Every structure is written in C-alpha cells, then in structure tokens.
Amino acid sequence: MTRVAAFDCGTNSLRLLIADLDPSTGVAAELVREMRIVRLGQGVDRTGRISEESLARTVAALDEYAPLVAEQRPDVMRFCATSAARDAENAAEFSDAVRSRIGVEVEVISGDEEARASYDGATRTLEGEAPILVIDIGGGSTELVLGNADGTVTAAQSLDIGSVRLTERHLADDPPSAEQVAAVRADIDAALDSCRVDPALAATLVGVAGTVTTVAAGTLGLDHYDREQVHGAVLDRTAVQATIDSLVRMTVVERRALGYMHPGRADVIGAGALILERIMRRTGVGTVTVSESDILDGIAWSCLR
C-alpha cells in the first residue's frame, strides 16, 4: 500500500483525498475526503485575476487541510489546479500559499489532462457499455471524455463552459429571466458545436462532480445528501430533465432550502444543470449514470505513476 494525498482545486471547490492505494489489486482504502467551496475563480472570467477575497477563502481551507495531511503522513502528494489557475495572471500568489502551508508544488494541469484524470477516476468503480462518455462539469470548464471499458481514452476535450463562468456571464437576475437562460444555452451549444468529442457516439453517459451529483440527489428525492445513494445511481433522462427545469426556475434562497443542496453551490447550480441538459440532448442514451469518483480519485491514482 502507498499512502497518497491528492488535491483538486477548481474554480468553485478545493478538495482533498488521502488514501492507501494498492496498485496490484486496484483497491483504495479511503482515510480522508474533504471539500470546501472556496470559489477561487470568482470574477476570473471578467478580470483575469484571482481576487483577494477568493485567495483568502482558499488559504483558510488550506489551513484546515494542513493538519490532516500532517497527521496522515502521506508518502506521495499531488496538488492539481484547473480552470481558474489556468486563466489567472496572478496564479503564482495562489501557488505560493499552497507551498507555504502544505509543502507541495501546485501543478496547473491542462484541460486534456484534467479530462483524462476525470475519466480514470469515474470509470474505475463503474461498469457500462462502451463507448463511455464521462462528463465533468466544473465551475470554470467542462470536460468531455469518450473511452472504452478498459480505461482507454479515445477522445477528450476541455471546454470553457462551467457553472461559475456562465452564471457570472449571463444569470444576473434571481431567478434568471428566460432571456438569460437562453443566453446560457446558446453559449453551451456553441462550445459543443466546436467540440471534437461527439456525445452522439456514447452508449453510456457517466456524470461526475458537484453539479451532476447535486442534480442526482434532487432526482432521487433525497431530503439530505447521501454519497452512498448517489454513487452508481442510474437515472432516467426525463426525470433528470425535470429536476434541471425545477432548479433553473428557483431562486437562490429556494435552492439553499433544499436539504441535499450545498449552500456554496446554490447560486451556480442552474448554469451547471443547463450544461448537463445540453449534453444529454446530444446523446442517444436514455439514462445518466452518476459517479462520486472523479478527477480527485484520478489524481490520487496518478501519484503512483
């Protein structure tokens, strides 16, 4: 067994996984799994910079994670940052904060590497008919990855559409107007039109990350978030669409009142759900399979390479 600590810092959340991994069996013994909504990418689409407030929230989360890492004493650590760090001209300030508190260098990974890590994490514990399309809807970007059941990736692309980015661009009203929702859909469709990954080729559609898992919790009718019930759920596409329609129509206050909703996701879940909607419409698959294993798990396993 090798003890690894994996960090995934995206536009919206900062997550930590510490686990003992056995490469010979593929077994993972999870020790720590934590998530904080830090909104590192707040305003980055407009300003090109990480704000002082965003950095302060991220530093606060790092200060909470540091003693957990020290206590577990991992053999290998990897800290990966994605869309917000790729786009921000002052990402070095963020990297310095990570180095001083955790003692690891930040790797700002490419969209293609992000997509492959998502696929690896999502498909390790789920089965499905190939080709499998994994979609990872983040705050700043969305990854589409097409591959086989053995983990081989045949096509992948990262698109600059995400729940935070599209909310900041278009959804100024609460609840959003029909015109604002239409503008979000238009942005998503334009990105998908130019995507080299064709959702229509998928035989199985797998969704990962907070947007999809939250929509899944709503579709399942959960009164509180339950990771075990969400992971591996196979949801009827029509039922998923009904949940999306409901979330988009709600105010932020109404979303926060939902027992399964993380309060830090309530203001951006509408845009993220619309990304899921537009991708579903381009597939011929009648169900969405939900995975709680995602890029964070893929980063953890990559520590062994």
Side-chain angles (χ1 to χ4, degrees):
M1 286 279 197
T2 301
R3 182 162 295 182
V4 304
F7 297 83
D8 167 39
C9 188
T11 298
N12 201 40
S13 65
L14 171 57
R15 300 184 299 152
L16 165 65
L17 172 62
I18 303 176
D20 289 332
L21 305 183
D22 186 341
S24 62
T25 63
V27 171
E30 188 174 303
L31 303 170
V32 174
R33 188 182 288 265
E34 296 286 337
M35 188 269 286
R36 303 288 185 273
I37 300 289
V38 298
R39 199 66 60 87
L40 182 69
Q42 184 173 3
V44 169
D45 185 60
R46 176 176 53 84
T47 67
R49 294 180 60 83
I50 296 170
S51 69
E52 291 183 8
E53 295 83 1
S54 299
L55 186 59
R57 289 192 297 267
T58 305
V59 167
L62 292 170
D63 287 340
E64 293 182 35
Y65 287 171
L68 298 176
V69 174
E71 178 184 352
Q72 297 296 335
R73 302 175 64 184
D75 302 306
V76 186
M77 292 195 291
R78 192 174 185 209
F79 194 115
C80 293
T82 55
S83 179
R86 285 196 296 265
D87 294 346
E89 62 185 40
N90 62 333
E93 297 175 26
F94 159 66
S95 299
D96 290 344
V98 173
R99 187 185 307 109
S100 65
R101 286 161 175 82
I102 307 295
V104 64
E105 294 295 328
V106 172
E107 298 177 57
V108 181
I109 62 174
S110 70
D112 283 348
E113 184 175 358
E114 183 177 358
R116 291 173 188 277
S118 294
Y119 191 87
D120 181 38
T123 57
R124 278 183 177 271
T125 58
L126 293 177
E127 296 181 357
E129 181 185 353
I132 301 169
L133 176 64
V134 173
I135 57 171
D136 182 345
I137 302 170
S141 65
T142 293
E143 284 65 51
L144 286 82
V145 199
L146 197 65
N148 299 319
D150 63 0
T152 304
V153 171
T154 57
Q157 189 166 353
S158 179
L159 304 175
D160 283 336
I161 49 173
S163 60
V164 175
R165 192 187 297 270
L166 294 181
T167 298
E168 291 182 350
R169 280 186 187 174
H170 299 297
L171 302 183
D173 294 339
D174 182 26
S177 67
E179 292 77 15
Q180 290 167 356
V181 171
V184 171
R185 286 182 169 131
D187 259 16
I188 298 166
D189 287 343
L192 291 172
D193 285 344
S194 63
C195 183
R196 60 178 176 265
V197 181
D198 183 1
L201 298 176
T204 303
L205 176 61
V206 177
V208 304
T211 287
V212 175
T213 57
T214 301
V215 170
T219 304
L220 290 167
L222 302 183
D223 57 9
H224 66 281
Y225 193 83
D226 186 329
R227 190 171 188 269
E228 291 187 3
Q229 290 194 61
V230 169
H231 181 64
V234 180
L235 305 175
D236 178 79
R237 181 168 138 180
T238 303
V240 172
Q241 183 64 57
T243 302
I244 292 170
D245 292 341
S246 176
L247 288 170
V248 170
R249 288 193 300 266
M250 288 181 183
T251 65
V252 173
V253 169
E254 289 170 334
R255 293 173 189 160
R256 287 199 177 114
L258 299 170
Y260 62 82
M261 179 71 64
H262 190 293
R265 206 177 298 283
D267 60 332
V268 297
I269 188 67
L274 288 169
I275 297 172
L276 174 59
E277 172 197 272
R278 306 316 285 176
I279 295 172
M280 285 196 309
R281 289 172 65 89
R282 295 184 181 228
T283 73
V285 182
T287 60
V288 180
T289 301
V290 185
S291 176
E292 278 279 0
S293 299
D294 54 24
I295 183 175
L296 183 62
D297 302 80
I299 293 168
W301 283 101
S302 76
C303 290
L304 302 184
R305 291 200 292 267

